[in-house]
Amino acid sequence: MVHQAPPAIAVGALALRARPGCRRGPTAGWLAGGLLALALALVGCDEQKAVGPTLVYKGPNMESTNVLELFSDSARLQVRLTAPLEQRYENGDVIYTKGVSVTFYAKDKSVENTLTARYGKLEQAKNLFTMRGDVRVANVPQQQKLFTEELFYDRNKGQIYTDSAMFVRVETLTERLTGYGLKANQNFSSYRITKPEGVFAIDQSVAP
């Protein structure tokens, strides 16, 4: 006679053999590892955001108000500079955001020439002044004036000049000249307009 196992016992045996294939140990470890990796990734992102790019300060390192500067050679006063606000930068450049006035003196200490503008910048490396906004130059002895919107003053060469496309107007006692571009010596006693546009006589009988 052949004996067969009861169906309940067979089902129980199958159930016991099936359970090892669904172990919880490896599944829990994988889940924990994944959570740890995600946490590290998030921490890494937070650290990267916290560090970020290094910010470099590019503003002035010194500011002065009501500035008065005197430049002399062999104890003789040559230039006098005044400005409401002066900003000095790390590279030596100086900016005058609220206007600047420069006065040039002759050997006898008399005023030879004046230069004013609403904005000024001195590039220390080039020893070059850039002046913008209602720029005015006036040679006092010759009563000669220049009006423009941007002017360069090269202290090394002792020259003032504009871009060739910059409109200029020169006024003397007898005439008014207009054109584009100008080159002149430092005291504005002599000049040349690059592209003259017109010459207009000034009526001396009419009071200014």
Side-chain angles (χ1 to χ4, degrees), residues 86-145:
E86 178 185 83
Q87 298 177 327
R88 291 186 173 271
Y89 290 75
E90 187 68 27
N91 61 356
D93 290 354
V94 185
I95 293 181
Y96 307 93
T97 59
K98 295 185 177 181
V100 60
S101 176
V102 182
T103 303
F104 300 91
Y105 292 88
K107 292 182 178 180
D108 60 359
K109 298 181 181 181
S110 62
V111 176
E112 189 173 48
N113 189 29
T114 62
L115 197 162
T116 61
R118 293 178 180 173
Y119 168 92
K121 178 180 180 180
L122 170 62
E123 295 180 71
Q124 193 66 44
K126 299 178 181 179
N127 210 10
L128 178 68
F129 261 103
T130 300
M131 311 189 84
R132 298 191 185 103
D134 192 23
V135 182
R136 301 188 180 195
V137 181
N139 180 289
V140 177
Q142 298 183 13
Q143 299 185 47
Q144 194 162 265
K145 300 178 181 179

Side-chain angles (χ1 to χ4, degrees), residues 30-31 41 51 59 79 81 87 95 110 113 120 122 140 144 154 173 182:
W30 176 85
L31 181 60
V51 175
V79 180
L81 184 148
Q87 298 177 327
I95 293 181
S110 62
N113 189 29
L122 170 62
V140 177
Q144 194 162 265
D154 190 327
L173 289 174
L182 177 139

Side-chain angles (χ1 to χ4, degrees), residues 14-25:
L14 289 174
L16 288 174
R17 286 196 296 270
R19 284 180 182 178
C22 299
R23 296 175 184 174
R24 293 186 179 182

Side-chain angles (χ1 to χ4, degrees), residues 141-144 171-176 201-204:
Q142 298 183 13
Q143 299 185 47
Q144 194 162 265
E171 293 184 0
T172 68
L173 289 174
T174 59
E175 59 187 8
R176 179 182 295 111
I202 296 178
D203 189 351
Q204 297 296 314

Side-chain angles (χ1 to χ4, degrees), residues 9 17 20 25 39 41 52 61 65 73-74 86 101 117 148 167 170 181-182 199:
I9 295 176
R17 286 196 296 270
N61 56 8
T65 57
D73 183 18
S74 301
E86 178 185 83
S101 176
T148 188
F167 179 78
V170 176
L182 177 139
V199 179

